[in-house]
Structures are given as structure tokens and as C-alpha cells.
Amino acid sequence: MACQAENNIPINEESAFRENRAIEWIRIERYWTDSEDFAESSPQYLPMTCQHCGNAPCEPVCPVYATYHTPDGLNAQIYNRCIGTRYCGNNCPWNVRYFNYHDPKFEDTFTNHLNPDVTVRSRGIMEKCSMCVQRIRRGVREARYDGRELQDGDIMPACAQTCPTNAIIFGDLNNPDSQVSQMVASDRNYELFGELGTAPGLTYLAKVDVDAEEHSEEEEHAAVPQSPVIWMTVNG
Amino acid sequence: MQERVIMSDQEINNELLRSVFEHPLRFWVGAGVLGIFAAMWLISLSWLIYWGVGVTGLNRPVYWGFLITNFVFWVGISHAGTMISSILRLTQAEWRRPVVRAAEVMTVFSLGTAALFPLIHTGRPWRAVYWVFPYDFMRDVFPNVRSPLIWDPSAIFTYLTGSALFVYTALIPDLAVIRDRSTGLRRTIYGALALGWTGNTRQWKLQGIAGVLISALILPVFVSVHSIVSWDFAVSIVPIWHATVFAPYFVVGAVHSGVSAVLTLMAGMRWFFKWEKFIRPEHFDAVGRLLIVIATVWLYFFFLDFVFAIAAEETRELAVMERRVFEWPYWFLLVEIIILGYLIPVGMWLKRSVRRNIKLMFWSSLLVNVAMWSERYWLIVPGIERKYELKFSWSFYNPQLVELGLVVGSFGIVVFLLLMFSKLFPPIVLWEEKEGQRFAANVKIGQAVVPAIVKEE
């Protein structure tokens, strides 16, 4: 919900889910542990959002540079350049790029609640998690106005802000004292589809990562809070 | 060539220009029926553009479906023109003569139709201009040359320009014949198009050089076009798409479907324009023999695709391959592709009597293209339906009526355009036929019988 409200994501109707066309920049994928007995099996949750790959498969295939890499490591989507070839969506192993099959719908007063910092996307273009780029830019700007260094915790995407169990943590990996840097150093850290070499996580080239710990949790069934670590570098 | 009918130049002109100068009832009926298909295509297209891609059966992650399949199919068909005319012209195969122009024109029209499909398939086709024609005068935004979707239009438009030139070069002498036979406005128009052709030695020499040059120059383009189309898939990281064998595989598949389409077209022309004297069983025989080889090479690549999936022991490849072989509807398509694309037609073509039976050749070549269309679908869709093992976002694809209308309608527009072409220009090259007559004519000199003309090299 936080993400939907923050990023002006159109309201998904039931039919959108039936047709597999719902737009959810972050979605919680649900899997079940292998077990013969249904009562024994337990759900595993995998928050899935754009991996902001350092070497993203979606970027080179776009003919019009509608998706590109920002200097601070974000995988950005330029809506007004996008023509909707949908090649990027095909080439994304995580299926986290969403296509606007219809014009966005905001009922009655919902239009009054739209976030003025975020574009409302029209029909026929791709969209995806922007890592709340508007918040990042604001954080950098405010730190610069105050004449101070950007602190860990100054910037927080909507999903991290609302998660009650702090399962999503966002921060600067270049700062060794930041919470993410310390969590990434844990040996429970891993990359989803890391073998593809898209550098979603741990290599120093990559600057943004999601999900560092839930897999280890799946393996260990440990009672630790599920902590996808989101970290990034801001060269502001 | 015992069935050859010796005709004078005048007779050839009269016979072959019938399509231009006469308007029989069957022309109007044919144009009407095909016009309905073309209208259906236009209506589907308007529907798609007005309501957006939401009216198709596409979803996430199946972002490409029938329209891209159809694009690949028509690019494939367009490979016949060059295959037939330039390779056969360079190798001086005699039997090419009645086929060349029809094949080249089919290349132009099917390539044009194919090029439309990726455009109308985009979310905002009205903005696709800076993708296809990357000349940006205002914002300095240049396209991403790393994207296969940029290589695509470059390759296709090179090929389209090349083959249009190819058609036009061969057309000039024939345009002059039409010019000389008509009066009034028509004479003016054809006169302008004929570029002052008078048929003197120098003009014929230049025309011959141009023909050979374009034939030779277009060959690399011919190979590159479908390779590049295949890279749309092979460059991606979708399992099954990501295969090094795709480029030659697609080219051979294209030649297979394209040459079969030429066969269909030959039979159609022979029936529609009653050109039994020109398109003779021996021509079908020759194309049939060529197709046996092409089809077998295609089958080899088809199985090579399996081998590469299995030999690499890539689990994701294997998973999709398993789905393609064992799961509905893909197992059905697989069986259909092998039976209709190879076993039945090649089995038939092995017999000489079948190769000389025009009706059987017509139907068997149609079967090949049914199979080849399914083959493209079978290659493209299953991979993205089951992309990677995060099965939460697995999906399936249900093509909708609009997509079907666009696919069926595209066949209508290509054939409609071919018919319109035959109305304006002779679909069999007049001078090629006359040249063929000259080569066939023998002169008796003393005891020896020698060809009337010795070709200059």
C-alpha cells in the first residue's frame, strides 16, 4: 500500500490479477515448503521488487534508452521516452517490470491523493520500482542545504518506512558504518539469480541490492526477522 | 525441357501483359475477397491502436505473442525472393525465369508487412518514429545501438530498399513495353517510370551489370536480416531463446518457408492468370527438389536446438524444453511442425510425379507454411511463459480475437498487394522469358547443333 500510494500506482482491479497484468512495484511472492502433508508445509515469503542490477539485462535491450543506469546505481525508467516494446520485461528474470496495458484508473477523489513528485504513467509504457527516487533526491538535496554529509537513515523508501518488522533496510553501502553494510557482510547474504552475473548485490560494482537474507531464512527456518537489505550508494 | 513451348516475342508480350491490360471477372472477385481480408486487418489495427495493447492476450511476463510470431513469419517469407532470384541468377539456373519477379515482389510486400508488426505491437506506436528512424533533430536523443531492436529496423530497411531496387531494375525494360503499348496518361506515367528505356545495347549491358551487382550485394543482407531477427531472441537471457544456433537456424527456416511460399504463389499465378505455358511442371519439379534439401537442413537445425538444450545441461533450458515437448499445447505443435513441416511434404516431394503435379505441390507447400508459423510460435512463447524458476509470476498466453484478425488479415494484405502489383506490372519478367527462348533456340551449323546465343561472361 505504501508503495502504491507513494508512487501513484493505478488501482488494480480483480480482472488485472486474473489476467496477470496487475502492477505492483513490490510484490510478496508466496511459496510453500516441500511437504507431503499440507498441514506441515509452511509459507515462505519473498518480497520481490526491481533488483536494480549493476549489469541489468533490461537496459541494453531497450531501443530508445528508456531504461538506463543512473550514476548512483539506480536502474531508472524514463517514462516519456518509453514506447512500449516490452523487450525489457521479457529480458527480466525477476519479472519485475510492469506494462501499462490500460490507462491508469484513480476513482473519484483518489486523484487528489496522488503524489505530486511522481509522474502518473499513461497507457502503453513500462514501469517498475524506482527505489523511491524522489525520496533519494530529496534526501540528498536537504543534506546539501543543511551543509552536512548524508547520514545513514536520512533516506528511506516507502516500503522500508512502513515495514513494521524492519524487514527492508535501505542505506549507503559505501559507508562501512551503515546498517546495510554490516548486514551485507553477514554470510547469510546472497543474491537472487546471482549466477546470472547481473550483479544485483554483492559485487562492488553493484550498488543496489534487495533481499539479502530471506533465502538463508528459508534454508534455516530461523526465527530471525526477515530482512531484505536494500543498500545503495549515493554520490550526491 | 521438352515441354517448352516456342513462342515469338510478340506472343510472350501479349500473354504476359494480359494481367495488366485485361480486367476479367476473376480479377474483381479476387480483389474483392482479398480486400475484405485487408479491411479486416485495418479494422483490427484500428481497434488495437485505439484501445491499446490491453485488448490483446498479452500479460506479464508474456509480453510478446502472436504479433511478434507473425513478424518473424513474414520476415521468413521475405527471404524467398532473394534466395530464388539472386542465388539462382548468379548460378544461372534456367528454371528461375518465370519465378523471379513474383518471388522478389513477394519479398518486398511481405517484408513491408513484417516491418509493420513490431511497430503496431508497441505500447505507443505513434512515438515509435524515433526508434525506427533514428534521426533526432531536436533533443539529441539517439537510440540505443546495443539493442537488437535497433539492429532490426536497420537490417529490414536495408533489405527492403535493396529488394525494391532489385525489382525496379528488372522492371525497367518491361515498363517500356507497357509504355509503348498504351496511350494517354498511362503512357506518360509508364514512360516516366521506364526512365527513357529504348532497349539499345548500352542500356541492356548496364541493366545486366546492375542485375548481377544487386544480386551479389543483396546476398549478405539476405543472410543478415534473419540472423538479426533471431538475435532479438538469442541476445536475451530467456531460457530457450538464448541459443547460439538461432541465427543459421532462423535463416534456414526462413528459406524453407519462403521457398514454399513461392511454390504456393507459382501455383496460384498459374491458375489465376492461366499461364500454363510459362509456369510449367518442370519448374515445380526444380523448386521441389531444392526444397527437399532446404527442408532437411532445416530439420537438422530444428533438432540441433534440442541437442544444445540437452547437452548444456542447463536446468532452465531443460525445464522449458520439457514443457515444449510434453505439455499441451506445445507437444501438439511439435508433432504438427514435424509432420506438416517435414514428413508429409518432403515425403511427397520425393516422388517425381508429385513434384510435377501442381495441385499437390500447392497444398503441400501450404502445409509447410502452416507448420512454420507454428514453429515460430513454439519457439517464442513457451520460453517467456515459464521464465526462470520463480513460479509465482509464471503465466500463460491466450491470444485474443484482435491478434487473430491481424494475423489472418496480414495474409490478406500481402496477397492483395501482390494482385495489385500484377494489375500494374507484369508479374513474370518479359525479357527473362524472351532471353530464355533465345537460349533454348538452337541453330544448326553444318553437322553440329549449337545454342543460338553464347552468353558473354
Side-chain angles (χ1 to χ4, degrees):
Chain A
M1 265 314 283
C3 178
Q4 305 261 326
E6 172 73 22
N7 292 305
N8 297 340
I9 296 173
I11 293 158
N12 292 310
E13 289 168 352
E14 193 193 336
S15 63
F17 288 97
R18 242 193 343 257
E19 293 167 356
N20 284 326
R21 286 174 176 182
I23 298 175
E24 324 147 85
W25 285 11
I26 182 166
R27 62 171 187 262
I28 310 296
E29 298 196 348
R30 189 189 58 218
Y31 296 100
W32 295 87
T33 49
D34 282 333
S35 173
E36 293 291 310
D37 184 8
F38 179 73
E40 289 289 308
S41 77
S42 63
Q44 303 286 313
Y45 298 109
L46 182 66
M48 183 61 67
T49 172
C50 175
Q51 309 283 311
H52 290 271
C53 305
N55 188 9
C58 54
E59 286 169 11
V61 296
C62 176
V64 291
Y65 273 128
T67 172
Y68 87 116
H69 220 68
T70 64
D72 45 10
L74 288 176
N75 180 260
Q77 181 76 14
I78 307 170
Y79 303 125
N80 50 9
R81 207 181 280 172
C82 177
I83 53 172
T85 65
R86 304 194 286 290
Y87 197 172
C88 53
N90 276 341
N91 215 20
C92 177
W94 300 269
N95 291 329
V96 289
R97 304 188 67 96
Y98 301 87
F99 184 68
N100 284 276
Y101 282 97
H102 301 286
D103 271 320
K105 271 186 204 150
F106 298 100
E107 282 161 30
D108 322 326
T109 55
F110 271 95
T111 44
N112 299 335
H113 299 275
L114 294 176
N115 184 349
D117 290 340
V118 181
T119 321
V120 174
R121 281 79 56 187
S122 67
R123 189 189 82 196
I125 61 174
M126 297 299 290
E127 62 180 65
K128 57 175 264 302
C129 165
S130 66
M131 199 64 91
C132 287
V133 65
Q134 67 280 7
R135 290 177 173 229
I136 296 172
R137 295 287 175 266
R138 192 193 301 138
V140 172
R141 198 167 56 232
E142 282 173 0
R144 196 188 298 142
Y145 288 161
D146 296 349
R148 61 180 166 85
E149 286 284 297
L150 201 60
Q151 301 290 312
D152 194 26
D154 275 359
I155 303 169
M156 192 170 261
C159 52
Q161 190 182 9
T162 43
C163 180
T165 53
N166 280 342
I168 301 172
I169 292 155
F170 176 91
D172 184 354
L173 190 75
N174 281 358
N175 177 0
D177 299 327
S178 69
Q179 196 187 350
V180 267
S181 297
Q182 285 161 9
M183 293 184 85
V184 163
S186 150
D187 52 5
R188 287 157 61 209
N189 188 44
Y190 83 110
E191 294 170 351
L192 198 58
F193 296 149
E195 73 278 16
L196 293 175
T198 62
L202 287 185
T203 60
Y204 64 92
L205 282 172
K207 290 165 183 166
V208 186
D209 179 35
V210 196
D211 83 27
E213 290 185 0
E214 74 260 355
H215 188 71
S216 52
E217 186 191 311
E218 275 169 20
E219 283 174 349
E220 299 165 12
H221 300 285
V224 294
Q226 194 175 6
S227 309
V229 179
I230 302 180
W231 44 269
M232 71 169 302
T233 313
V234 180
N235 302 328
Chain B
M1 300 279 169
Q2 68 278 20
E3 295 145 49
R4 180 184 287 280
V5 185
I6 301 295
M7 303 168 84
S8 71
D9 290 357
Q10 197 63 37
E11 279 170 331
I12 291 180
N13 280 352
N14 286 340
E15 276 287 309
L16 290 182
L17 287 176
R18 243 187 14 231
S19 77
V20 179
F21 287 105
E22 289 174 17
H23 317 273
L25 182 64
R26 54 169 55 205
F27 169 77
W28 296 110
V29 173
V33 171
L34 293 169
I36 290 171
F37 277 96
M40 188 173 87
W41 188 83
L42 277 179
I43 292 168
S44 311
L45 176 64
S46 325
W47 188 264
L48 177 76
I49 290 184
Y50 186 77
W51 292 109
V53 189
V55 296
T56 64
L58 299 168
N59 50 49
R60 182 183 58 82
V62 188
Y63 282 126
W64 288 359
F66 259 32
L67 300 188
I68 295 294
T69 307
N70 210 37
F71 158 69
V72 179
F73 176 79
W74 281 115
V75 175
I77 295 288
S78 77
H79 276 54
T82 340
M83 173 66 198
I84 294 277
S85 37
S86 81
I87 294 181
L88 299 186
R89 184 169 295 176
L90 291 177
T91 54
Q92 300 184 356
E94 267 304 301
W95 55 268
R96 74 172 193 273
R97 294 190 188 281
V99 198
V100 273
R101 179 162 301 152
E104 286 160 15
V105 173
M106 194 170 70
T107 295
V108 175
F109 290 147
S110 57
L111 199 61
T113 311
L116 280 176
F117 273 82
L119 289 184
I120 62 176
H121 173 264
T122 57
R124 302 196 289 184
W126 49 91
R127 305 202 62 157
V129 175
Y130 61 82
W131 161 29
V132 180
F133 300 106
Y135 298 105
D136 199 297
F137 302 107
M138 287 142 78
R139 293 163 302 158
D140 288 339
V141 177
F142 275 87
N144 179 3
V145 287
R146 290 180 302 169
S147 170
L149 292 187
I150 283 301
W151 314 339
D152 251 5
S154 333
I156 286 175
F157 283 108
T158 312
Y159 190 39
L160 194 60
T161 317
S163 28
L165 270 179
F166 203 12
V167 173
Y168 186 63
T169 324
L171 202 56
I172 293 172
D174 294 356
L175 288 170
V177 176
I178 303 179
R179 175 197 61 195
D180 296 343
R181 290 180 160 230
S182 47
T183 50
L185 182 64
R186 178 185 263 192
R187 190 182 168 89
T188 323
I189 294 172
Y190 280 99
L193 286 173
L195 302 177
W197 178 271
T198 52
N200 62 33
T201 324
R202 182 176 161 273
Q203 284 176 338
W204 277 113
K205 202 166 183 176
L206 286 176
Q207 211 268 352
I209 294 171
V212 173
L213 259 185
I214 301 178
S215 305
L217 287 175
I218 210 165
L219 269 181
V221 182
F222 149 81
V223 177
S224 74
V225 172
H226 223 50
S227 306
I228 287 173
V229 168
S230 81
W231 291 335
D232 282 353
F233 306 102
V235 165
S236 77
I237 56 169
V238 178
I240 293 298
W241 286 12
H242 186 72
T244 41
V245 72
F246 260 31
Y249 174 28
F250 269 49
V251 172
V252 171
V255 174
H256 185 33
S257 68
V259 177
S260 301
V262 169
L263 211 50
T264 317
L265 187 64
M266 277 162 66
M269 272 167 55
R270 180 184 153 103
W271 167 76
F272 194 83
F273 296 114
K274 302 203 186 76
W275 277 331
E276 287 86 357
K277 282 182 206 154
F278 298 95
I279 307 174
R280 291 183 301 272
E282 73 228 31
H283 297 127
F284 287 88
D285 192 355
V287 182
R289 271 180 287 166
L290 177 70
L291 266 174
I292 294 175
V293 179
I294 296 171
T296 310
V297 177
W298 166 77
L299 194 72
Y300 170 73
F301 276 107
F302 189 72
F303 283 112
L304 211 55
D305 198 24
F306 285 90
V307 173
F308 282 171
I310 295 165
E313 293 184 19
E314 174 85 36
T315 44
R316 291 172 183 137
E317 293 259 322
L318 285 177
V320 181
M321 196 49 105
E322 201 177 303
R323 173 171 164 75
R324 292 209 295 189
V325 176
F326 297 111
E327 278 178 46
W328 172 264
Y330 300 108
W331 68 263
F332 175 78
L333 287 179
L334 173 65
V335 172
E336 185 223 307
I337 290 162
I338 294 176
I339 291 181
L340 298 190
Y342 190 82
L343 294 182
I344 293 184
V346 174
M348 285 166 71
W349 297 334
L350 284 176
K351 272 187 79 71
R352 189 167 182 275
S353 57
V354 175
R355 287 202 305 269
R356 287 170 176 263
N357 183 330
I358 282 106
K359 274 197 185 118
L360 286 179
M361 288 308 271
F362 177 76
W363 292 112
S364 59
S365 63
L366 269 187
L367 289 187
V368 171
N369 272 318
V370 171
M372 290 310 287
W373 204 96
S374 327
E375 188 230 13
R376 272 59 179 265
Y377 182 78
W378 187 82
L379 279 174
I380 293 170
V381 174
I384 39 178
E385 281 184 346
R386 295 284 180 272
K387 192 172 60 182
Y388 290 84
E389 54 268 37
L390 292 177
K391 52 185 163 188
F392 189 82
S393 51
W394 281 2
S395 184
F396 53 89
Y397 173 54
N398 266 337
Q400 299 294 305
L401 200 60
V402 180
E403 292 163 287
L404 204 64
L406 283 166
V407 169
V408 176
S410 69
F411 287 82
I413 49 173
V414 171
V415 187
F416 182 75
L417 287 172
L418 283 172
L419 188 67
M420 289 300 118
F421 181 88
S422 75
K423 191 71 237 155
L424 298 173
F425 310 106
I428 294 183
V429 191
L430 302 180
W431 59 266
E432 283 263 16
E433 281 298 322
K434 292 175 204 162
E435 194 181 56
Q437 295 276 356
R438 295 281 190 290
F439 283 139
N442 291 328
V443 178
K444 209 165 180 193
I445 301 174
Q447 295 283 313
V449 178
V450 294
I453 289 179
V454 179
K455 189 157 188 173
E456 282 179 59
E457 287 300 325

